[in-house]
């Protein structure tokens, strides 16, 4: 009984080990099974390229587009690997029988390989004991093999064919989940290596031959069906280039640049090798640049077999550039161009594809050659206006190239001399990489202008060359100084609802106007292109409160107010226009007249009302001063003989100590307030102080406080119509305060 338990535990552990760590191939197979679930159990959906016998367990992207390598693909339903049909039953309800490797070749319909194993005396070996992995070429794979090569193998079955089949075998059972990307497996022929690639799209290759049906378990191993016959490899990339007659120019250039030796070292690379004809197409000046620059020939990327390319993907070369490798039917494309003449020349350190065009890296190009199709209008314009011909051939430049849609009819109608100056300001004097830019950096254009750089969390922005300086009303002194500002400027529409009397009231209260404008101003440059999409950006205004800026749906909003026109650059900052006056929601107003004006201007929030008049437990205390946050209350002013008052606004918590000498005096006022048709009388008690002295500083918890004397507080609460019973004189109108 104990022995049975141990065996059961061992079997459980082995089963768990085999089921763990599913690979990309297994995941794609699972998706194919899900797509075909309506067809019955254990059925997989495949895509077959129209006009070919190529079938794929495809990715979601290929399935959605209904195409493989840009070619239309039809849907097939077949039994998933390891399952078979039964007469009269839906789907594939039965598990395929388990046999030795030789018998499994028949189960997976690799009958040609089974036949060659029989005549080459490999059969007894794969029927016997052991643990093998057999990468079995399909029947179609043998048909695709060069006829001369196939005949040579069949004519010498005991040596050539025997060795060829052993090169397709490994002396260890390896499922697809065990075939890791970049690994090498020792074959059973002279211990030569097999190169394995397991790509994220589920494609698994051995020496660039694709596994089209994997994991047929055998009693003595496993069988994977592949789509081509693989050849033994013993040469490196260097060996191939040195002996290939059509690659002599590449060999010479690689030798000069020192790259040839690297191609002989161990690695796992893909080389797009231009033929001699490809180099002959280049001009002599380009060829000279290639010969003089040791870096430009580094066009290798990580090992990339053609069979793994189902859609276009971007890859980085050793030189640092990205190239787009795609496919068009059976052909490979590079950067969208069908240029591959011969593919999948597998070597011991990589794979070579022969191409009929030279892939010029950016470092080997002139700056004009770097312009893509989306910037072609800019290239045409700087050529037509003579800007490109005036650029020295031995100098370095950087283009700030606008996209084609920037060149609207309005832009193209600009006077040519003016347009030339504008475009010259898009050409920097030096070669500057994106990674070399930093915030506040000054860049000089060939037109002699200086552009500033702004670095944000998710963007790098460069200003235009505007020479305007913005000086909003009331802030001239602030903005005359050098600096970088962002102004959310209320347009004329923002003030359209105000009557002449309202405007005069607003203009006459300079302190109020200045404070409102300071809330529209920040002490840094923020352009819409530097904002992270959908995220609220808090900008501290010069007034002290924060502005909430967000960019979403191609629209910039500040405090929920849309910005119809943004990024008007100036020498000392940037202007964004808004059609409403912005106002901090936490700042109340104590003046009724000003409140009425603000409620006409500020419609996106409800402006709060507050009073600074304060009773303390119903009695008058000796320290009879009012303290208030920065509100519109501090816009009032009055002069009282014999009373000295001090007010200040600080961003930091600084306060002034006030000492009051003398006894306070009580003032009784009677106010008539109409409520309907009946007037009502209210008696109010206030107080005055003696002379105020003292200059020490106290510290309080609140920020940005304004200190008011008693009389200012009283004045704020005394609208026109008060009758005064005595005490200090009263102002007659809030407008005159």
């Amino acid at each position: 009984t104990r022995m049975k338990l141990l065996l059961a535990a061992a079997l459980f552990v082995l089963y768990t080990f085999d089921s763990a760590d599913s690979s990309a191939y297994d995941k794609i197979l699972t998706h194919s099974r899900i797509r075909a679930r309506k067809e019955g159990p254990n059925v997989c959906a495949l895509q077959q390229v129209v006009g070919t016998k190529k079938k794929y367990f495809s990715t979601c992207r290929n399935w959605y587009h209904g195409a493989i390598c840009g070619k239309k693909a039809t849907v097939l339903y077949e039994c998933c690997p390891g399952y078979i049909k039964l007469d009269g039953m839906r789907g594939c309800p039965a598990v395929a029988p388990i046999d030795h490797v030789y018998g499994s070749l028949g189960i997976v319909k690799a009958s040609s390989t089974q036949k060659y194993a029989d005549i080459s005396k490999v059969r007894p070996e794969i029927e016997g004991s052991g643990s093998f992995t057999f990468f079995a070429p399909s029947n179609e794979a043998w048909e695709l093999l060069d006829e001369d090569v196939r005949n040579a193998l069949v004519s010498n079955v005991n040596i050539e064919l025997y060795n060829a089949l052993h090169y397709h075998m490994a002396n260890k059972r390896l499922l697809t989940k065990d075939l890791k990307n970049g690994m090498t497996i020792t074959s059973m022929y002279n211990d030569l290596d097999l190169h394995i690639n397991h790509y994220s799209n589920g494609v698994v290759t051995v020496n660039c031959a694709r596994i089209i049906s994997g994991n047929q378990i055998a009693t003595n191993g496993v069988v994977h069906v592949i789509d081509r016959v693989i050849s033994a490899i013993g040469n490196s990339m260097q060996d191939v280039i040195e002996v290939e007659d059509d690659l002599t120019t590449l060999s010479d250039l690689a030798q000069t640049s020192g790259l040839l030796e690297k191609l002989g070292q161990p690695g796992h690379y893909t080389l797009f090798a231009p033929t001699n004809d490809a180099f002959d197409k280049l001009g002599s000046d380009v060829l000279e640049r290639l010969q003089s620059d040791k870096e430009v020939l580094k066009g290798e990327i990580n090992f990339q077999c053609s069979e793994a390319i189902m859609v276009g993907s971007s890859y980085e070369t050793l030189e640092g550039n990205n190239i787009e490798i795609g496919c068009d039917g059976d052909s490979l494309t590079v950067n969208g161009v069908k240029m591959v003449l011969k593919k999948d020349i597998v070597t011991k350190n990589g794979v070579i594809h022969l191409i009929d065009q030279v892939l010029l890296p950016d470092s080997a190009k002139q700056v004009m050659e770097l312009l893509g199709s989306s910037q072609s209008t800019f290239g045409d314009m700087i050529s037509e206006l003579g800007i490109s011909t005036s650029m020295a051939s031995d100098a370095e430049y950087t283009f700030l190239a606008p996209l084609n849609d920037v060149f609207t009819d309005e832009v193209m109608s600009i006077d040519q001399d003016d347009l030339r100056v504008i475009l010259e300001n898009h050409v920097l004097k030096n070669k500057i990489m994106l990674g070399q830019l930093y915030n506040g950096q000054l860049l000089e254009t060939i037109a002699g202008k200086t552009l500033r750089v702004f670095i944000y969390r998710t963007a790098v922005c460069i200003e235009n060359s505007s020479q305007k300086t913005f000086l909003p009303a009331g802030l001239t002194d602030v903005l005359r100084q050098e600096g970088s500002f962002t102004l959310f400027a209320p347009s004329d529409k923002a003030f359209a609802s105000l009557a002449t009397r309202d405007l005069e009231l607003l203009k006459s209260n300079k302190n109020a106007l200045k404070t409102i404008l300071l809330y529209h101003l920040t002490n840094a440059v923020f352009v819409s292109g530097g904002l992270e999409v959908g995220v609220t950006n808090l900008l501290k205004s010069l007034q002290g409160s924060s502005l909430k800026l967000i960019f979403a749906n191609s629209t910039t909003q500040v405090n929920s107010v849309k910005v119809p026109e943004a990024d008007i650059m100036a020498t000392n900052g940037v202007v964004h226009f808004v059609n409403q006056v912005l106002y901090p929601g936490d700042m109340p107003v104590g003046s009724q007249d000003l409140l009425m004006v603000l409620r006409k201007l500020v419609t996106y929030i409800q402006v709060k009302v507050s009073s600074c008049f304060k009773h303390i437990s119903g009695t008058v205390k000796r320290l009879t001063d009012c303290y208030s946050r920065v509100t519109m209350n501090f816009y009032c002013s009055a002069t009282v003989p014999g009373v000295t008052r001090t007010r200040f606004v600080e961003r930091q918590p600084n306060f002034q100590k006030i000492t009051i000498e003398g006894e306070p005096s009580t003032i009784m006022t009677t106010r008539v307030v109409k409520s309907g048709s009946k007037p009502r009388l209210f008696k109010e008690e206030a107080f005055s102080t003696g002379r105020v002295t003292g200059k020490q500083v106290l510290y309080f918890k609140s920020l940005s406080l304004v200190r008011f004397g008693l009389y200012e507080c009283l004045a704020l609460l005394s609208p026109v119509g008060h009758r005064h019973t005595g005490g200090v004189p009263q102002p007659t109108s809030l407008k005159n305060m």
Side-chain angles (χ1 to χ4, degrees), residues 171 252 255 257 267 314 320 329 392 425 435 451 499 512 529 546 554 607 644 648 669:
N171 203 5
D252 292 341
Q255 180 70 49
S257 66
S314 181
N425 283 318
L451 309 181
S546 293
S554 302
V607 180
T644 301
F648 63 94
T669 66

Side-chain angles (χ1 to χ4, degrees), residues 47 60 89 111 121 215 231 233 255 262 444 451 455 486 539 563 566 570 604 626 723-724:
Q47 285 183 298
C60 293
M89 299 184 69
S111 56
K121 310 304 180 185
N215 299 331
S231 302
I233 54 174
Q255 180 70 49
K262 179 179 177 61
E444 187 178 358
L451 309 181
I455 305 294
T486 297
L539 312 183
V563 178
Y604 69 96
C626 293
R723 294 191 303 167
H724 309 289

Side-chain angles (χ1 to χ4, degrees), residues 265-302:
Q265 298 172 356
H268 210 57
Y269 301 111
T270 297
L271 174 66
F272 289 92
T275 63
N276 295 339
D277 290 339
F279 282 107
D280 290 340
K281 296 176 184 177
L282 299 177
S284 58
D285 58 332
V286 177
L287 197 57
E288 288 177 4
R289 292 204 302 270
L290 290 174
Q291 292 171 334
S292 62
D293 194 333
K294 295 184 178 181
E295 298 295 315
V296 299
L297 288 180
K298 292 183 178 180
E300 304 93 339
I301 58 175
N302 288 333

Side-chain angles (χ1 to χ4, degrees), residues 208-271:
C208 286
R210 178 171 62 93
I211 294 179
I212 57 178
S213 180
N215 299 331
Q216 177 59 44
I217 303 298
T219 57
N220 58 347
V222 64
V223 175
H224 305 293
V225 182
I226 57 178
D227 68 347
R228 72 179 70 173
V229 179
I230 55 178
S231 302
I233 54 174
N235 294 328
S236 67
M237 285 185 172
Q238 179 181 3
D239 298 330
V240 173
I241 291 175
E242 287 180 328
V243 301
E244 180 67 44
D245 291 337
D246 207 20
L247 298 178
T248 55
T249 304
L250 176 63
S251 178
D252 292 341
L253 288 172
Q255 180 70 49
T256 302
S257 66
L259 182 62
L260 189 60
E261 184 179 351
K262 179 179 177 61
L263 294 178
Q265 298 172 356
H268 210 57
Y269 301 111
T270 297
L271 174 66

Side-chain angles (χ1 to χ4, degrees), residues 34 57 80 109 182 349 432 531 561 715:
I34 293 172
F57 299 109
C80 296
K109 301 179 181 179
N349 61 342
I432 302 174
L531 300 177
V561 175

Side-chain angles (χ1 to χ4, degrees), residues 7 29 100 131 137 161 199 202 220 353 463 487 619-620 625 648:
L7 287 172
L29 194 63
H100 43 59
S131 183
L161 185 58
Y199 299 97
N220 58 347
H353 307 293
E463 70 172 334
L487 175 65
T619 61
V620 179
D625 301 294
F648 63 94

